[in-house]
Amino acid sequence: MTLSKLSLRNAKRQAGDYLVYFFTIVMVAALIYAFNGLIFSVEVQSLSKQMAQVPMMIVLASIVVVCIISWLVSYTTNFMLTRRSREFGLYVLIGLENRQVARLFFWENLIVGGCALVLGIFLGNFLFQVLRAIIFTLFGTPYYFSFFFSVKAIGLTLIYFVLIYLFAQLKSLRRIRRMKIYDLIYFDRQNEDAVIKTSSRRRKIFAASIIIGVLGTFLLMTDGMLFGIIGAGCIIVFLYGFFLSFASGVPAFFDKYPARKYQNRNLLVFRMLTSKLAAMGIIMATIALLFTACIISEGTGMIFRSILQNRAKPNSCFDLILSANDEKEETFKVCQNYILKNISVKDSRQYNIYLSDNDDMTDFVSSNTGYYRVYEYDPVMGKSDYDALRDMLGYPPVTLKEGQYLIHCQPYVEKVLKNWNQVISFGGEEFTLKEICTEDFAQHLYENSGNGFGFIVVVPDKVAEVCPISHVMYTVLTKEQVSEEQYNTLEQLLYNEWEHNGYDNTVFHSKAKEEADVAVMTAMMVFPLFYLALVLTMTAAVILTIQQLSETNHYKRQFELLRKLGMERREMSQALRNQFFIYYAMPAIPPVLIGVPFIVNLAGLVEPGIMVGGSHPAVIAGISLGLFFLIFGVYILLAYTSLKRNVLPD
Amino acid sequence: MLQVKNIEKYYGSKNHVTKALDRVSFDVADGEFIAIMGASGSGKTTLLNCISTIDTVSSGDILLDRESIAELPAEELARFRREKLGFVFQDFNLLDTLTIEENIGLALSLNHDNPQSVKKKVDEVAQKLGISDVLSKFPYQVSGGQKQRAACGRAMVAGQSLLLADEPTGALDSKSSKNLLEIMTQMNKEMGATILMVTHDAYSASYARRVLFLKDGRIFNELLRGERGRAVFYHEILDVLALLGGDISDVI
Ligand SMILES: Nc1ncnc2c1ncn2[C@@H]1O[C@H](COP(=O)(O)OP(=O)(O)O)[C@@H](O)[C@H]1O
Ligand SMILES: [Mg+2]
């Protein structure tokens, strides 16, 4: 038996005893590797030039992940050191120097970390395939499975792991070197005390932290960077204040109301919890903080994605949109010529968008929704242009009789226009509303470049033609997707014209480009946010679980004794469940109370018509919570089944 | 071989000080078998811990082979523990991931001894202690008495000259206790091991050649067995304990 063999054996035992932790490190390695894969996959990078910005964001997210995981590793290592201090004391007692014990422990952790890394990279390959499939789908590119192996991705993952372990190990090695043999052997003599001792101070801190917490949540919801930062600060203060005062207050509460203590199984549940809670105030607060960050990043990620996707969707009925309010139409013509020469056009139409002589409808809509005013007067379109466009888009034809008009709008505007007085006048003549259509119609483009914004009024040609022109539109359906190169050329044409003749308000819009933008932004913002959220939840959940499972032997002895005293198995399992529920719910409740209002509020700031249907704030909040509790639930279930199996007498 | 000179040990902070040892002095010659007796809280464990370098003294000096252990540098200290000191606790203290054989041989092999000779030494010791047949088992698979004999084995396999035992029979039934005590006597007689055993049990103490009585951290009395039989010595110890007063029940 040499030191290295002993390390190896201890490593095996560590992986077994702390299986949940080991599993988490494997998952983290898999995540890090899969995301590194996105950086180094030539295939993914060649989807679009814009993908070049993605690596930066992934590296940033990875740095945060490295920090969090090195904290986790450091915390767990420290925890193991404490639990196994007697073992280490014995090594010293039989003549090992602290230096050697440190080396022993170092190798043990290195072996565990190394195995996790190897397994993680293996698993990461599958995870990478999933991410790749999502990105390809976002770009609308056909997806085939192909084996991915990148030395660079492995290298970067290795670097991250070295950083993680370096930080955590240095700390524990220093601790081992300084440890006195007496402290190691008699570790259990030193008991942990509650942090806040006097109850009046505890109550004050508790009350103050609740107030600060509510204040912080509100500040987070106001806009403005400064308020946001102060709000985040308040939340942190709240969580620490709350958990330090509350956790250490539970024992005091029961001491004060002994009747409660002896009610049902309270005593048992209470005793199982107090020892942990009193010592875990700070860690509980940290866990709650991680959970809060997790729920917020999940929600933010989904809101982001909804904005990107739902802003693009109403305009995606046309493959190309070109518009200009320049009278001379010079740039417009240059671009149009390029399109006609270089892009195979299936169908196209050039037409004018006019302006009415008043802004009654715009006023009405903007006073009833969070409508963003783009036009000074209500936008108008001629019936024949409208018919042609409907035909082009394959929508069923509509008819308009003398003295009638119709409205084409986005669904959210339709709801408001139900209460519209419905009679409008053009040049003294009155028109009544025939109907409202709500198909996608390029009505979510800013800078007067679409078919109105949110809505447009459709009137007979002769009525429209006398109105002033807002801008010229040229909408195109192409046979093939507009390529990135074609888009760039068009953009360059516009840019050249601007350089020579000054800004002239010609706007160019391509569906393919918009979709690529959504895909890139999703890869750039949403993926990293979810990556972070996953790591945050796993880290916090695994710490809670390690704490819970470390009590296995203690619980086991306790339940054996209780059985001898005549307690039924059913009752024991109930007590265990209650204890479990409270233990896991505590750090999860404040994050839910902070996270949900934050998400709902953030989603509410977006312009109307975007956060609807599957993107409704409530749905997003629900999915965020669902995802969070799904991962959290896996850990709870793992801990519960393990405890139940090992603790309850048969 | 061991000189304890006027040692004192205080525990606690400024406002609450416990004096666990109060000017304790005694000498231990090579090959002695000494029992240290006293009621619970009288400072027995503290004394043993100070000698074994687990703890440090507040004042005074402990010399081993004329060298003060307080002045040993870390490396020397580790060597001292490895080569000269064997320790047996009340609650066994074997590593539960290692087999009995590995537990006994651990210090030797970490010491880079030749693996062949480690095996031989372990077998030899196991033979003497009567645990040859459980060598390949893990601690949780053997009885308390066997575990304690394994701990004794570990404490002497490297030829350690000083065996310190803190209530080694405390967790054993009377038959296993007797067995262990006989083994310790044998180790003392045949292998010349110097033994310092803490106990609060007069029966265990009667196996020693000399008994030191501790009370409130001080040496209160000393009893030499001389040429008397064990049974006679046992009754003499009981007499001293009666004189010591206090928790007789606890002591017996
Ligand atoms: N770590 C410690 N901190 C404070 N007091 C201690 C500590 N260890 C022992 N003591 C005190 O020192 C005295 C002697 O303890 P100990 O040597 O363990 O007694 P024994 O082993 O004879 O039962 C007791 O009063 C005990 O309370
Ligand atoms: Mg003691």
Side-chain angles (χ1 to χ4, degrees), chain A residues 182 189, chain B residues 11-12 18 20 39-47 167:
Chain A
Y182 183 89
R189 289 230 178 125
Chain B
Y11 281 116
T18 317
S40 174
S42 56
K44 306 181 296 288
T45 300
T46 307
L47 176 60
E167 316 234 12

Side-chain angles (χ1 to χ4, degrees), chain A residues 459-477:
Chain A
V459 293
D461 288 354
K462 61 176 189 327
V463 180
E465 274 157 13
V466 298
C467 296
I469 296 174
S470 163
H471 56 280
V472 189
M473 294 277 294
Y474 178 58
T475 51
V476 183
L477 288 185

Side-chain angles (χ1 to χ4, degrees), chain A residues 50-70:
Chain A
Q50 283 174 284
M51 287 298 280
Q53 301 161 10
V54 174
M56 175 75 178
M57 295 306 287
I58 291 181
V59 169
L60 276 180
S62 294
I63 289 171
V64 180
V65 166
V66 166
C67 291
I68 293 168
I69 296 304
S70 72

